[in-house]
Amino acid sequence: MAPRANAGVALLEVLVALVVLASAGLSLAGLVGAGLRSEQDARARERTLAIEERVVTALVLLQRGDLDRRLGRHPLREFVVDVERPEATLYRIAVAQSTSPEVEDLVTVLYRREDRNVH
């Protein structure tokens, strides 16, 4: 081959290498962007769960009469709180987001003994 033909082949090899390098760089940039979005979503979810945990903690501290007054499903800010009494001494408390109330994020069951002076 003539030196001029070798120069053309070398130029073609450089262009192919640049295309491969550019596509790898774009893929890497896409992966980094997806990772950053996932991290932001995880932080937002963590903040939401922290708020839900505070709601459940406040409800757990209530006495039997207060829980009885809150029986049922009620909106609370951006959440839905569901207080049930499946048995005489057990209360089930569930917290879900208003955007998807069918998915309960936090659930707990409490025991509250029955009042002895009630007939």
Side-chain angles (χ1 to χ4, degrees):
M1 274 194 206
R4 190 134 171 93
N6 284 342
V9 171
L11 180 61
L12 184 59
E13 288 176 349
V14 168
L15 288 175
V16 168
L18 282 175
V19 167
V20 169
L21 206 59
S23 64
L26 288 174
S27 297
L28 183 60
L31 287 173
V32 169
L36 290 174
R37 282 189 298 278
S38 294
E39 181 187 7
Q40 288 174 342
D41 292 345
R43 286 182 191 271
R45 182 73 181 126
E46 187 176 342
R47 281 190 299 271
T48 299
L49 282 172
I51 295 169
E52 289 175 333
E53 185 178 0
R54 286 194 296 270
V55 168
V56 168
T57 300
L59 291 169
V60 165
L61 296 174
L62 295 176
Q63 297 298 315
R64 184 180 178 84
D66 296 326
L67 288 168
D68 285 339
R69 284 189 285 281
R70 288 172 175 79
L71 287 174
R73 183 172 270 220
H74 308 284
L76 179 65
R77 293 178 32 187
E78 68 267 22
F79 305 110
V80 175
V81 176
D82 191 16
V83 179
E84 300 172 354
R85 192 175 60 202
E87 294 185 23
T89 57
L90 294 180
Y91 291 87
R92 180 183 184 276
I93 299 172
V95 179
Q97 294 182 45
S98 298
T99 55
S100 57
E102 66 280 351
V103 180
E104 298 173 337
D105 294 331
L106 291 176
V107 178
T108 191
V109 176
L110 305 174
Y111 170 80
R112 294 291 185 262
R113 67 178 177 196
E114 292 187 71
D115 294 332
R116 295 174 195 251
N117 57 2
V118 176
H119 298 287

